Amino acid sequence: MTIRLNQKSITIDGNEAAASVAFRTSELAAIYPITPSSNMGELADDWATRHRTNIWGGIPTVVEMQSEGGAIGAVHGGLSAGAICTTFTASQGLLLMIPNMYKIAGELTSFVMHVAARSLATHGLSIFGDHSDIMACRQTGFAILGGTSVQEAHDLAAISTACTLRSRIPFVHFFDGFRTSHELNRVQMLADEDLRGIVRQEWVDAHRNRALTPDKPVLRGTAQNPDTFFQAREACNTFYNQLSAIIPEEMKRFAELTGRSYQAYEYAGDPRADRVVVAMGSGAQTAAETVRYLAERGAKVGCVLVRLYRPFVVDQFVAALPASTKRIAVLDRTKEPGAVGEPLNQDVVAALHEAAQSFDLPMGNMPEVIGGRYGLSSKEFTPAMVKAVLDELAKEHPLRRFTVGINDDVTHLSLAVDNDFDIESPKVVKAMFFGLGADGTVGANKNSIKIIGDETTLHAQGYFVYDSKKSGAMTISHLRFGPEPIKAPYLIRRANFIACHQFEFLEKMDILEAAENGGVFLINAPLAPEDVWGALPVEIQRTIIERHLKLYAIDAGKVARQAGMGGRINTVMQTCFFAISGVLERPEAIAAIKHSIEKTYAKRGEEVVKRNFQAVDKSLENLHAIRVPQTATSQLHQTGFADERMDDFTRRVQSVMMAGKGDLLPVSAFPVDGTWPTGTTRWEKRNIAAEIPVWEPEVCIQCNKCAFVCPHAAIRAKVYEAAQASNAPESFLGVPYKAPDMRGLTYTLQVAPEDCTGCGLCVQVCPAKDRTNPKHKAINLMPQRERRDQERLNYDFFLNIPEVDRSRITRLDAKSSQFLLPLFEYSGACAGCGETPYIKLLSQLFGDRLIIANATGCSSIYGGNLPTTPYTKNRDGRGPAWSNSLFEDNAEFGLGIRLGVLEHMNHARRLLTELGGLLGSQLVDQLLDSPQSTEQQIAEQRQRVKALRQALATIPGNPSVVLAQLADYLVHKSIWIVGGDGWAYDIDYGGLDHVLSLPFDINVLVLDTEVYSNTGGQSSKSTPLAAAAKYASAGKGTAKKDLGLMAMSYRHAYVASVAFGANDNQTVKAFSEAASFHGPSLIIAYSHCIAHGYDLRMGADQQKRAVESGVWPLYRYDPRLVDQGKAPLQLDATVLRGSALDYMQNETRFAMVEKMDSDRFHLLADQAVRNTLQRVALYRELARIVLPQDTAPSPDAAASLDASSASPAIKTGFDGRTNNDGAVKA
Amino acid sequence: MTDMSTTYMGFILNSPIIPGASPLVNNLDVVRRLEDAGAPMLIMHSIFEEQLIKEQVSLNWAMEHADYSNFEASTFLPRPEEFRLGPEEYLRHIWKVKSAVSVPVIASLNGYSAGGWVSYARMIQEAGADGLELNIYDMPIDGQRTAARLEEDSLDIIRAVRNAVTIPLAVKLSPFYTSPVNFARRVAQCDVNAVVLFNRFYQADIDIEELAPMPSLQLSTSDDLLLRIRWTAAMYGHIKSDIAITGGVHTAADAIKGIMAGAGALQMVSALLKQGPRHLTMVHKKMTEWMEQHEYQSLSELQGVMSLARMPRPELHERTNYIHILQNWSRD
């Protein structure tokens, strides 16, 4: 045996482990982002940009496509041309590839795709890991091979590559999303030389020789007929038969080369086991470790790790089972409702039956097989759960179908678990860190793992858990360090070291739940050391005393500021961890941190290194051991999330989820279909802002700009009768309203102190300055803590003052729009988010009649990520109804909603006509014909509907009942399709284009951040020239697609380009016009984003720069103007100030390209400046064009044309349009 | 034939009019056109240590401030292996400019920290610059800092840089010293090859409607020359370094005045920004014509003729000039 002993060992995550092999053994990677696999594509793009080579000396071509469907199409083409190709995907992305997977397999094409296995969206979306995606393509003809660990993600990627090239059968190589893809662990890396040994050149040559080429012309993709298709389909059988032998042979050869041995079906445990668990993925590692632990203690238990799922090789699987096997529990990490059993279970049963028919089973009798589900959507799967399964197998009558890891109190399938059961070695140091998203905690912990894993003999493992928010999320880092390899793909349950990096967490969270007796507890406390103990809630004090914890504290924020690190506490807290955890000796640890700082930051400049060094030194000076008294005396108590004002469901279910205890909720707690109540973010009160805006009424000019830009609806304006504030709290402020339209009312600007994120956008846009001290504005940021109680009272009082009657707002503009109740509030969006002000405005303008179809992405995550929902209701119980279908179908989904609503409306109108005699012609005529253009008219229509319902109550018969059910549809509904640029420009552009081509009254809002923000800033076709983005890390070399211009080319669609920071009134105008336009409308909204790389406090200023430089034109294209003899395109920003370069130099996404490659940047930037000027010139010309009135068919005319041609799409009997007053045309 | 050559910073130049530190040298095409127009030397724009540090800190902040904020996006911007965040870009540009022209290329440095002055100066020398102009841009707005302290701090920097590099060194001064001639003498004693008079501080305007400072960049006019002439005339003959004037040199007459006051070289920026490189040729030509008309054979003949030591009625450059003008000034 030739074992290479010089293999390099580094600490990386599963994505990098797989991508490293994929990149080096490919010539072409076609990629598309999807969580949790996006990082593999990012790495491939990054490595290609850095000119890293594959094992044949070439730099692989990495190309981002418009969807996963596009990626696999490009791969299929590349393979047909004889290139060695790869791609990376997960979940719904894998499903989009399925059609082409049949083709690739059918053509016997060598290819490996790497999948970070993830749940499929069903009753809800989940980004987390299970096997439902890979199971959904088990029928495609691909081999499916998956590992149990980070090391296996690396090794099986290589083995898959060898096998596919040798066998010609394409492979899905998978590993568990997040649990493996994002776990950091030490990996023995395969060198290029190893890979060249594993992947034989003759196979590569053979693959190339099968290329389509005119030099040896052949034809593929024929259409075959009943006479031949069947036989031809069977012709591939021998290749699959051979594969079952090839895989073990290549695994053996791999072992000879590397010393790491794998089997397609590998047994662990007692060789005489009678109870055996079968599992695949990371859960199999947990099962294997557990059975080893139990077997060492005398239990007759075992585990078969299934690595090869397709083809399922019967004899090899059966051979892996001990002859003593009597009972088997098959664990599936997927759910197949209605099936006899889950897929792996079915395969095991079928395999045993098949074996029994073919040869004598080693165990004599057919073992009894039961099957269970575990770990859906990364639900924890622990040794205790494995033991529960083994215990179930030991019962006389085990459940034939079960679940483990949840409490199923409805169908009673779940197994009881003894959570005290633990198999972890006492030699392992287990540390948990509670941090705030983006405070640097996770980054520092990753760094610590690398320091220990790469530079000491210790093994290290890290896994990171976040809550559902984008801003102010709580992060929990789980770190293990030990002398042996760490095989524990589950969270820490007992920790020797706990650090709380945010003092506020102690108020609500059970931070010390996992603290082990005698452990260390480190707190970042903004207090003097002598004040720390007294500031702890009594519950925390008690736990510290009872568990004999050693308590340390540091004011990390202060130390970080002193070191010139702003408020970033990562280096400070990392130093403290090393200083007191005892994982390494202190001097050795500090030297290692400094070495690591140099390694990480040297490329970002000496100054950055210097400041980090200062932070290390000052941390040690400011870290204090806190004396723990013998009794807990604090008067402070932890406050939970439950509130007596909550409704039953919110209190019983959502407050538990808010407290991070959702795992404890039983099945019965949940809606059966994923339907969820709205309006629950208001219960969270996250208190994440260190500073909040404080209003100075004397300085304020009551412009409401602050409220307009607030991404979280946390600063609000209201006008009301003075008497309504007669019992206001003493500190509640109100002043006479200054504008003439509602003279006599009182005006209040109020902050929601516990919901504000402290982004500072409001203060930045405030135009009112104190004339004697211009530093002071009408709102100023002040510390939150000391104002929290007072402002909480004020805000509660403010909320109870009724909003001004909407019909009193006669002139709708940016200012007046802020007197309308926001029905989108306190979302989990990033602090300073540039998208949410648009959604909030949408909810203010049309919220009580709004339906949103939301594409997957940031807006669906902050819009609908549990535990709470930001869309809410008004006092009448009305508010936005919202749904997310998929990423790739949102335009079509929204159109379907439009058509469904239209059908209900037409149905109601027909019934109204039918029942007209009984209802009275005046009411019926008014209901049918009254305009609904203004708030007043809508209010009147609602009154008429109310009267209709009263009248219907007295009319017997089915039509009356049905009309009562549909009556609300007589009030116009505003249907909006919302999504980001990745959705609109790329993955669903075809759908969007089609929807815009139709005449239906539908509105589209594109929140354009110019990247795939949600998955981490990958380039889209909206990404501007010269901007660095993931998948375009050298700076995008092509210009942004002009979506608006493309939509205008239909000429019957309303199109607007808006940027609230530059012109908020134009934004409001565009929203109103789009809503009133009775055809398709498209609004493209500039949305600043953290992926642009600057302080989002300046977001509105930067929007202004974008507009003034011509980079982002403001316009409205209104087809209605054609009939008025006017140019349909109106430019709303006509004067250029500054150049595109001025705008670009303020954002890191551009600036970093200059810092990477100045020549390239200037080339691209010059082109960007030229493009901008050319586009401005083009739009100026277009804005001068007055179209002849008969050349641009109105939506009405367009629909008539469609109707007359009886297009199948709209042949269903309704005409699909409303007239200018909102009523349906007869 | 009039001899227009001069000696400046140890270089013999065939013209005294040098394009001063400005963004003109950013563009290699312009650099070549400047040489073609007769530039005898090129002075690069300043490398600002403070700005480099700010860039490093800002870029690092922008790169990592949103890291690991949620499950789906661990980072939001690509992580290139290499950034040119130090002075590398500047140093590379020195090399590019040097490769593009045959005249001496002087780099310019505006330091911020004690270490920065020396380390950047060394790097500039290693990058191949023919000389270095130190831009002492120290705004004395700290009320605790005495004039003496401020001068000593500047001299410490100059000495440190002088010890660190061997290439010719010029020091660009501010006009705001209590005793400019004395200070210039002390600067010159630090083995400095030239002093450059004077830095023009950017002065923000005030927006009276918005109650905000308003960044403004005012190009110089010939009026700015008078201050330089006065102090050049005062220093000439009293300091051992060359003197260059920067600020207000727009026309041939301006240049002649500068030389007469005692400058060995004249740096021109605003006029070139406004008129382009060919302006250099024109000024040189007109200057030569004037000298021919006035029978000056060489620049050295002209240099210093109107210095305080040699000019008739030097008191007009002293306090009496002020008194005289005030006495003769009236609203009519």
Side-chain angles (χ1 to χ4, degrees), chain A residues 1159-1187:
Chain A
D1159 294 343
R1160 177 178 163 78
F1161 174 74
H1162 288 291
L1163 203 70
L1164 297 178
D1166 288 349
Q1167 185 61 42
V1169 171
R1170 275 197 300 278
N1171 283 0
T1172 300
L1173 294 175
Q1174 286 168 359
R1175 189 165 174 232
V1176 168
L1178 174 67
Y1179 274 63
R1180 281 180 178 162
E1181 287 303 316
L1182 290 175
R1184 290 194 188 105
I1185 298 174
V1186 178
L1187 296 169

Side-chain angles (χ1 to χ4, degrees), chain B residues 65-231:
Chain B
H65 83 284
D67 278 7
Y68 308 111
S69 49
N70 67 71
F71 254 122
E72 297 205 62
S74 43
T75 60
F76 286 92
L77 285 165
R79 293 293 148 99
E81 211 153 51
E82 286 301 328
F83 276 124
R84 296 203 180 94
L85 274 172
E88 290 84 357
E89 197 57 40
Y90 186 86
L91 301 175
R92 210 161 66 103
H93 199 65
I94 294 176
W95 178 83
K96 282 185 190 170
V97 174
K98 283 273 298 168
S99 308
V101 295
S102 56
V103 296
V105 175
I106 309 298
S108 175
L109 168 62
N110 188 321
Y112 168 69
S113 67
W117 285 104
V118 170
S119 62
Y120 289 131
R122 279 205 189 103
M123 284 188 251
I124 283 169
Q125 173 168 297
E126 282 161 18
D130 297 304
L132 174 62
E133 182 175 287
L134 291 187
N135 187 350
I136 306 281
Y137 190 121
D138 192 352
M139 287 288 283
I141 52 174
D142 176 0
Q144 303 294 316
R145 206 160 155 224
T146 64
R149 180 73 261 157
L150 196 140
E151 288 185 6
E152 279 310 315
D153 288 349
S154 294
L155 291 169
D156 284 348
I157 290 166
I158 294 165
R159 285 185 205 107
V161 172
R162 180 66 284 174
N163 288 335
V165 297
T166 54
I167 51 177
L169 190 65
V171 177
K172 195 173 189 174
L173 299 177
S174 122
F176 307 120
Y177 290 97
T178 312
S179 177
V181 180
N182 172 270
F183 184 65
R185 279 171 63 100
R186 289 159 70 201
V187 169
Q189 283 161 7
C190 299
D191 202 14
V192 157
N193 302 73
V195 293
V196 183
L197 310 180
F198 291 115
N199 221 324
R200 292 179 65 244
F201 291 103
Y202 293 118
Q203 295 169 103
D205 202 347
I206 288 174
D207 184 331
I208 58 172
E209 294 302 325
E210 295 292 324
L211 300 183
M214 205 162 58
S216 80
L217 172 58
Q218 300 287 337
L219 293 181
S220 74
T221 67
S222 294
D223 293 344
D224 292 294
L225 186 65
L226 303 181
L227 179 77
R228 279 85 183 159
I229 288 176
R230 177 194 181 105
W231 291 108

Side-chain angles (χ1 to χ4, degrees), chain A residues 468-471 681 684 686 712 826-831 861-863 870:
Chain A
S468 60
K469 307 298 184 212
K470 287 184 179 293
S471 68
T681 46
E684 288 185 308
R686 298 194 295 145
H712 293 82
Y826 327 132
S827 76
C830 297
I861 298 302
Y862 59 64

Side-chain angles (χ1 to χ4, degrees), chain A residues 303-498:
Chain A
C303 167
V304 174
L305 296 87
V306 174
R307 293 199 177 88
L308 179 62
Y309 180 61
R310 282 289 178 271
F312 200 92
V313 187
V314 171
D315 53 347
Q316 290 175 31
F317 171 73
V318 172
L321 290 164
S324 49
T325 307
K326 290 195 168 48
R327 282 181 171 176
I328 296 172
V330 183
L331 296 176
D332 269 280
R333 204 162 196 161
T334 187
K335 180 175 172 69
E336 191 170 317
V340 175
E342 265 58 40
L344 183 59
N345 180 26
Q346 287 196 49
D347 281 301
V348 167
V349 171
L352 287 168
H353 181 78
E354 188 69 17
Q357 303 302 309
S358 311
F359 53 85
D360 291 337
L361 288 175
M363 58 286 290
N365 295 327
M366 175 78 88
E368 189 177 342
V369 181
I370 65 171
R373 293 181 289 277
Y374 75 102
L376 297 196
S377 177
S378 290
K379 175 70 77 186
E380 273 289 273
F381 183 60
T382 62
M385 294 171 196
V386 178
K387 182 161 182 301
V389 171
L390 291 166
D391 290 347
E392 187 66 20
L393 276 181
K395 288 181 182 169
E396 190 177 348
H397 299 291
L399 284 172
R400 301 217 36 85
R401 296 289 174 268
F402 63 87
T403 56
V404 64
I406 57 169
N407 174 9
D408 176 2
D409 56 344
V410 177
T411 48
H412 305 289
L413 293 174
S414 55
L415 305 182
V417 175
D418 171 12
N419 283 320
D420 289 334
F421 177 75
D422 188 10
I423 64 169
E424 291 205 66
S425 160
K427 291 179 190 164
V428 176
V429 174
K430 287 162 282 180
M432 290 172 73
F433 301 78
F434 294 79
L436 196 64
D439 70 355
T441 298
V442 173
N445 285 330
K446 289 193 170 189
N447 187 255
S448 300
I449 289 171
K450 281 178 182 283
I451 288 174
I452 295 170
D454 294 351
E455 294 174 25
T456 75
T457 55
L458 291 174
H459 290 262
Q461 179 212 44
Y463 189 70
F464 307 91
V465 178
Y466 304 70
D467 78 16
S468 60
K469 307 298 184 212
K470 287 184 179 293
S471 68
M474 185 166 83
T475 64
I476 310 175
S477 307
H478 296 255
L479 273 55
R480 288 182 173 96
F481 308 101
E484 303 294 330
I486 294 168
K487 297 178 178 177
Y490 43 87
L491 302 179
I492 291 170
R493 304 181 75 81
R494 287 278 169 265
N496 321 93
F497 179 96
I498 291 183

Side-chain angles (χ1 to χ4, degrees), chain A residues 285-305:
Chain A
Q285 187 180 60
T286 304
E289 290 302 302
T290 308
V291 298
R292 281 193 190 108
Y293 175 91
L294 292 169
E296 281 166 14
R297 286 155 183 78
K300 297 272 182 285
V301 293
C303 167
V304 174
L305 296 87

Side-chain angles (χ1 to χ4, degrees), chain A residues 35 50 604 769 1155, chain B residues 60 72 79 81 84 210:
Chain A
T35 306
R50 295 180 195 186
R604 296 193 203 159
K769 293 176 182 168
K1155 299 300 167 198
Chain B
N60 186 56
E72 297 205 62
R79 293 293 148 99
E81 211 153 51
R84 296 203 180 94
E210 295 292 324

Side-chain angles (χ1 to χ4, degrees), chain A residues 839-852:
Chain A
I839 296 182
K840 188 186 60 170
L841 178 66
L842 196 60
S843 81
Q844 288 172 303
L845 298 178
F846 320 114
D848 63 350
R849 52 190 185 280
L850 176 63
I851 305 178
I852 293 176

